[in-house]
């Protein structure tokens, strides 16, 4: 049965519609000849969704874990919708992370509902149907019409690929006491509960469940990190080209192209900072040149189609050789980094690696005469003078979000002990801004961060990103070997 396209008055359009029809540029939807000719002559298209291997089975296990935490409660988690970039042009869709974790695929405007049945839940995925041959939207809807966006999987294809019961989102009807999570769009059928509050309890439980990665998740993380290490090499090879022309943006684009080729894209906006931009924590604008004599900070991560992402940082000499002051800063950050790595393991307090990193940095800054107080006073809660040069944290959970599990309780996150299966980053640094007059001139505009991705094991930790060196000599050898 064909479906008529219903266009709300607020739907963005690429251009205005005339008050009176223009016979020279007729509206196709109003042309009987066109509409009739569009009805037939269409064969079958390949509409199988791209689903990562093992994702449906992993998602089913994740749903079972969530079900056990909410016996007797109806749960709904929405995938969300791509935000509009300008007018009628949308950004690329990236599903809500809780939805991805529970479903195993990104399905725009879809809602996963878990309905209680005894002590367990039945899962149903509600999703919008694409406009296919015979539907007016097939040729008239630029967001879901297959002539515009290509063949799209629907209810049947997703049911087969995901092993889930699926229904049209038009059938969605949630009870008043349902707990709602995910990202809810502001219009469309999935927006019918947009005015209802999202459940903080549901978000917290999901975040805390995601803290412990299963073997499939760890394999996805390893693959993301391996691809990121390869991307670092490809990016470094382009430094001479970026010095000549293109600058930071050329290197950012190099990695982003790599990430999109081997995965879904980048897990976050790639940070490429040369010289005075290196100390800027989130320098994502990439508007500068590459100074061949300065340090180059690269904070990069490939995201897999599963949503799992790497988050790795290295600070490199653009010339291939560290200067004396650059090496001195890098060596101190390396010492801090190694202390942090050594503090990661099962049963250790989450705060241990933070304290280990900060103790080394504070002592080094004091040795350089940069602290106005003693090391002990700086490290005290009421001091923290060393944090002038590192206002960010030195690590976070990692997984299907780059800053994973952020909706957890403090007790389960910073106040917890590490457990086997946790994935995290360790990333100390020193950031001496170009306009900071408390540091000597040779340090102004020097920024160094080292960041590795780790998994807590039964007896310690595994550094997933160990393929990239962290010591200055090793970095120089690695760069020389690439060329």
């Amino acid at each position: 049965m064909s479906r008529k396209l219903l266009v709300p008055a607020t739907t963005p359009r690429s251009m205005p519609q005339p008050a009176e029809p223009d016979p020279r540029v007729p509206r196709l939807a109003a042309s009987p000849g066109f509409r009739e000719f569009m009805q037939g002559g269409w064969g079958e298209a390949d509409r199988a969704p791209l689903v990562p291997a093992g994702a449906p089975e992993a998602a089913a296990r994740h749903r079972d874990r969530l079900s056990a935490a909410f016996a007797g409660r109806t749960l709904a988690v929405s995938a969300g919708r791509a935000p509009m970039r300008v007018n009628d042009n949308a950004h690329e869709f990236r599903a809500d992370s809780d939805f991805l974790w529970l479903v195993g695929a990104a399905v725009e405007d879809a809602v996963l509902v878990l309905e209680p049945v005894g002590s367990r839940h039945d899962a149903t995925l509600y999703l919008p149907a694409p406009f296919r041959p015979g539907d007016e939207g097939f040729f008239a809807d630029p967001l879901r019409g297959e002539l515009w966006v290509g063949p799209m999987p629907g209810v049947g294809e997703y049911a087969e690929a995901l092993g889930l019961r699926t229904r049209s989102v038009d059938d969605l009807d949630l009870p008043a006491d349902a707990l709602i999570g995910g990202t809810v769009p502001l219009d469309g059928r999935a927006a019918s509960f947009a005015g209802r509050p999202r459940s903080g309890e549901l978000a917290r439980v999901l975040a805390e469940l995601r803290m412990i990665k299963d073997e499939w998740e760890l394999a996805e993380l390893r693959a993301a990190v391996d691809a990121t290490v390869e991307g670092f090499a490809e990016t470094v090879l382009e430094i001479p080209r970026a010095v000549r022309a293109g600058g930071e943006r050329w290197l950012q684009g190099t990695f982003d192209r790599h990430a999109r080729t081997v995965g879904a894209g980048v897990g976050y906006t790639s940070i490429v900072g040369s010289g005075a931009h290196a100390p800027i924590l989130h320098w994502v604008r990439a508007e500068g040149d590459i100074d061949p004599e300065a340090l180059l900070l690269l904070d990069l991560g490939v995201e897999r189609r599963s949503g799992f992402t790497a988050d790795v940082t290295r600070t490199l000499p653009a010339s291939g050789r560290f200067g004396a002051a650059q090496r001195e800063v890098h060596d101190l950050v390396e010492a801090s980094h190694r202390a942090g790595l050594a503090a990661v393991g099962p049963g250790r307090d989450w705060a241990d690696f933070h304290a280990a990193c900060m103790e080394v940095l504070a002592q080094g800054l004091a040795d350089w005469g940069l602290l106005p107080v003693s090391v002990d006073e700086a490290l005290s809660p009421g001091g923290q003078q060393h944090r002038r040069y590192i206002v960010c944290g030195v690590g976070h959970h990692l997984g299907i979000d780059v800053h994973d599990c952020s909706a957890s309780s403090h007790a389960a996150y910073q106040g917890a002990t590490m457990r086997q299966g946790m994935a995290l980053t360790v990333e100390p640094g020193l950031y001496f801004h170009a306009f900071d007059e408390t540091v000597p001139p040779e340090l102004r505009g020097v920024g160094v961060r080292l960041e590795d991705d780790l998994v807590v094991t039964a007896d310690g930790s595994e550094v997933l990103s160990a393929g990239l060196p962290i010591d200055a000599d090793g970095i120089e050898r690695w760069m020389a070997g690439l060329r």
Side-chain angles (χ1 to χ4, degrees):
M1 182 178 68
S2 66
R3 291 177 298 137
K4 184 174 179 58
L5 177 63
L6 300 177
V7 183
T10 56
T11 298
R13 298 181 183 274
S14 59
M15 60 183 66
Q17 299 295 327
E20 297 293 333
D22 185 343
R24 298 168 300 173
V25 189
R27 289 188 63 226
L28 290 178
S31 175
F34 171 80
R35 293 169 64 92
E36 181 181 357
F37 192 47
M38 291 295 289
Q39 290 299 309
W42 303 100
E44 287 300 315
D46 181 5
R47 297 184 173 94
L50 289 175
V51 177
E57 295 80 10
R61 295 191 296 270
H62 299 160
R63 293 193 297 272
D64 287 344
R65 292 171 62 193
L66 180 63
S67 173
F70 286 99
R73 302 298 302 272
T74 298
L75 313 175
V77 179
S78 178
R81 177 185 300 173
M84 285 296 175
R85 184 177 183 274
V86 289
N87 191 29
D88 62 341
N89 284 266
H91 285 281
E92 187 170 13
F93 175 63
R94 203 283 187 181
D96 179 89
S97 293
D98 285 332
F99 179 92
L100 269 180
W101 192 73
L102 293 167
V103 173
V107 188
E108 192 167 12
D109 277 333
V111 182
L112 175 72
V113 177
L114 299 183
E115 299 173 284
V117 178
S119 60
R120 59 180 185 84
H121 288 80
D122 281 345
T124 304
L125 182 64
Y126 292 85
L127 64 145
F131 291 113
R132 293 176 175 173
D135 299 324
E136 181 178 329
F138 175 60
F139 57 82
D141 188 318
L143 296 181
R144 285 174 33 224
E146 289 191 335
L147 273 190
W148 291 85
V149 298
M152 294 177 64
V155 170
E157 290 85 3
Y158 274 119
E160 181 177 354
L162 299 175
L164 266 173
R165 181 173 61 186
T166 57
R167 295 181 63 178
S168 168
V169 73
D170 294 334
D171 299 332
L172 180 62
D173 185 20
L174 291 176
D177 63 349
L179 299 181
I180 297 171
T183 303
V184 181
L186 297 179
D187 57 45
R189 186 67 185 92
S192 59
F193 51 91
R196 294 162 61 175
R198 289 181 59 193
S199 168
E201 180 188 9
L202 177 56
R204 177 188 61 78
V205 170
L206 278 165
E208 294 174 7
L209 288 174
R210 281 166 36 195
M211 280 185 172
I212 305 300
K213 274 63 179 178
D214 57 33
E215 286 304 315
W216 180 83
E217 292 174 288
L218 292 178
E220 287 294 300
L221 271 178
R222 288 190 180 92
V225 172
D226 289 346
T228 299
V229 170
E230 294 170 359
F232 265 86
E234 290 194 14
T235 304
V236 168
L237 284 171
E238 291 294 311
I239 289 177
R241 165 65 170 81
V243 168
R244 293 194 303 273
E248 294 169 341
R249 192 153 292 192
W250 183 268
L251 298 182
Q252 187 184 55
T254 297
F255 184 83
D256 290 2
R257 180 185 67 247
H258 168 79
R260 191 167 174 82
T261 301
V262 302
V266 293
Y268 51 94
T269 306
S270 300
I271 298 172
V272 178
S274 172
H277 293 156
I280 301 174
L281 295 174
H282 287 170
W283 179 253
V284 298
R285 301 205 303 265
E287 294 173 341
D289 297 330
I290 301 297
D291 182 344
E293 301 304 318
L295 292 180
L296 174 65
L297 188 148
L298 301 175
D299 187 336
L300 310 171
V302 171
E303 180 177 283
R304 300 270 291 170
R305 289 190 179 276
S306 61
F308 285 85
T309 184
D311 181 9
V312 180
T313 305
R314 292 295 185 269
T315 307
L316 318 166
S319 67
R321 303 284 294 180
F322 285 94
Q326 295 168 351
R327 179 181 284 266
E328 192 172 10
V329 177
H330 193 280
D331 286 351
L332 177 53
V333 173
E334 179 200 342
S336 172
H337 188 59
R338 291 187 184 278
L341 295 178
V344 174
R348 299 290 300 266
D349 287 343
W350 177 268
D352 282 356
F353 74 89
H354 170 90
C357 289
M358 290 302 174
E359 288 172 6
V360 174
L361 293 178
Q363 184 62 61
L365 291 167
D367 293 343
W368 292 348
L370 295 182
L371 293 186
V373 297
S374 69
V375 172
D376 287 344
E377 185 175 346
L379 290 171
S380 70
Q384 300 297 299
Q385 287 84 353
H386 62 295
R387 297 298 297 275
R388 177 187 180 103
Y389 310 111
I390 176 169
V391 299
C392 58
V394 294
H396 53 81
H397 278 275
L398 181 69
I400 207 165
D401 268 345
V402 63
H403 295 149
D404 209 19
C405 312
S406 61
S408 305
S409 66
H410 182 275
Y413 199 129
Q414 299 100 315
T417 58
M418 299 182 205
R419 293 177 287 159
Q420 182 178 356
M422 285 183 171
L424 66 150
T425 69
V426 174
E427 49 177 306
L430 285 172
Y431 310 96
F432 301 125
H433 289 274
F435 52 92
D436 189 341
E437 296 180 350
T438 68
V439 298
E442 65 270 19
L443 294 184
R444 295 174 192 170
V446 174
V448 175
R449 177 164 66 252
L450 287 169
E451 180 179 20
D452 277 309
D453 299 344
L454 295 82
V455 172
V456 179
T457 62
D459 56 0
S461 67
E462 175 189 357
V463 180
L464 302 182
S465 46
L468 290 175
I470 60 173
D471 61 295
D473 287 340
I475 288 172
E476 289 179 349
R477 289 193 299 271
W478 176 72
M479 292 181 71
L482 294 176
R483 296 171 182 171

